[in-house]
Amino acid sequence: LKADENEDEEDEDELIGALLVLRDITREVEADRMKNEFIGTMSHELRTPMTAIKGFTQLLAMGGLGQLNDTQREFVNTIYSNTERMINLINDVLEITKIESGSIDLEWRSLHLAEALSGVIAELQPQIAQRQHQLTISIPPGLPLIRADSMRLHQILYHVLLNAIKYTPPGGNITIAARETLNVDLPEPVRSTLSDSRRYLMLSISDTGVGIKPEDLPRIFDRFFRTDNPLKVEAGGTGLGLSIVKPLVELLGGRIWVESTVGEGSTFFIALPVAHDRA
Ligand code: ADP
């Protein structure tokens, strides 16, 4: 609020007060909480029957109720893979409601990034072998430990590496590298969103896959967003994975970003805070 207190000097710019607008958002917060609770309950309720369908379909597919002819086996396999897709989707939705309602409990530990990575690589080895990808790992010995939650870290690494496999044609290369870095060495705008003098481990997962168009890059972490690319159908997916990965990385005090060229490949970078960093 401005007023002309001293009329002689005609000082119209003098500040004599401020306006504070308060809005009661109790109802909006409550509505959000109820929405999350509803989706959470629904997802749980859906998961139970879906799990039963999956179990019985598996039994049928394995010939537990008698041998199937080729057509029957094909149909049963289709039911099985669609049931699996639906269960994955339900699990992703449950995860999102947990993140949104802030009900994720983290178990903080000092962890070796290399150990976490080797668990994920072992789990994804069958897919890597099936697509005949060349996997190169370049992690120097003696890297400092990171402070993270091991289950969440696994989830993050698993998802980004699985994407590299899915969106890289057979015979392509996937390279995983890590190094220690200071915040000042990180690129903008990532750097300015992190505390100034901390040390980070920067992990990169690069592939020689389909790549991402520049106009799609800003939307890559959005919910349900999937780019049009030659491997879209074959890769399958819900477009929810990266929208879960990003808030998880941020919960761990880190950042994730991507650089990519269509037809050449993509690199996902993940910076995670080093343990026992006093800065
Ligand atoms: P999806 O379930 O579709 O894989 P994500 O949320 O994991 O969902 O990823 C969103 C989209 O980002 C993908 O559909 C794909 O278009 C693109 N994407 C993610 N990782 C890569 C990658 N390594 N190479 C090319 N495109 C990628």
Side-chain angles (χ1 to χ4, degrees):
L1 298 177
K2 310 250 163 102
D4 194 2
E5 266 190 344
N6 188 338
E7 274 163 5
D8 291 334
E9 286 177 35
E10 288 184 352
D11 182 6
E12 288 182 13
D13 285 339
E14 195 183 344
L15 185 71
I16 59 153
L19 185 66
L20 179 66
V21 180
L22 291 175
R23 195 159 62 90
D24 184 359
I25 59 160
T26 318
R27 274 218 210 140
E28 282 145 66
V29 171
E30 178 60 10
D32 240 26
R33 194 193 60 76
M34 282 172 68
K35 186 196 79 186
N36 272 333
E37 196 180 295
F38 172 72
I39 298 174
T41 312
M42 273 290 290
S43 307
H44 266 299
E45 294 300 322
L46 282 170
R47 199 161 58 169
T48 312
M50 290 312 297
T51 309
I53 295 172
K54 184 179 162 183
F56 283 110
T57 314
Q58 202 167 21
L59 185 75
L60 277 175
M62 289 185 333
L65 297 178
Q67 283 311 307
L68 304 179
N69 66 36
D70 288 351
T71 316
Q72 288 168 333
R73 191 170 311 109
E74 189 193 324
F75 285 11
V76 169
N77 283 339
T78 307
I79 299 172
Y80 183 80
S81 56
N82 278 290
T83 312
E84 223 175 19
R85 265 182 62 193
M86 220 181 301
I87 292 173
N88 288 340
L89 181 62
I90 293 168
N91 286 339
D92 283 350
V93 170
L94 268 172
E95 192 67 11
I96 287 173
T97 51
K98 264 199 227 159
I99 292 172
E100 286 203 339
S101 61
S103 60
I104 287 205
D105 290 326
L106 296 174
E107 274 190 41
W108 293 97
R109 299 255 185 288
S110 295
L111 303 167
H112 285 287
L113 181 62
E115 270 175 27
L117 264 171
S118 57
V120 172
I121 292 167
E123 209 177 321
L124 286 170
Q125 199 57 52
Q127 282 96 317
I128 295 172
Q130 193 205 4
R131 292 177 77 74
Q132 296 176 312
H133 286 147
Q134 177 77 41
L135 179 66
T136 309
I137 299 164
S138 159
I139 298 185
L143 279 183
L145 301 179
I146 50 170
R147 189 107 188 116
D149 171 299
S150 81
M151 201 181 101
R152 299 304 175 185
L153 180 63
H154 185 93
Q155 212 176 344
I156 292 163
L157 300 175
Y158 180 92
H159 199 88
V160 177
L161 182 56
L162 178 63
N163 274 354
I165 299 167
K166 287 198 307 186
Y167 297 107
T168 301
N173 298 326
I174 296 174
T175 307
I176 302 178
R179 64 182 171 87
E180 189 182 350
T181 176
L182 282 172
N183 181 18
V184 288
D185 298 323
L186 296 174
E188 280 297 0
V190 176
R191 186 196 331 165
S192 48
T193 66
L194 287 170
S195 113
D196 255 356
S197 47
R198 286 205 73 156
R199 292 180 303 147
Y200 292 85
L201 278 202
M202 187 161 79
L203 172 75
S204 59
I205 300 182
S206 312
D207 62 59
T208 56
V210 293
I212 302 161
K213 289 190 210 114
E215 63 265 35
D216 287 338
L217 279 175
R219 301 175 63 197
I220 210 76
F221 297 100
D222 291 354
R223 248 181 245 171
F224 294 113
F225 180 76
R226 304 192 72 210
T227 68
D228 275 323
N229 67 67
L231 292 176
K232 183 178 185 178
V233 177
E234 188 191 329
T238 56
L240 285 176
L242 287 180
S243 76
I244 294 173
V245 163
K246 187 169 192 271
L248 285 183
V249 172
E250 290 174 1
L251 269 179
L252 297 181
R255 293 291 181 273
I256 179 168
W257 68 101
V258 57
E259 288 172 5
S260 187
T261 308
V262 174
E264 287 184 17
S266 313
T267 300
F268 281 80
F269 296 94
I270 301 175
L272 291 166
V274 160
H276 312 303
D277 199 344
R278 302 266 163 251

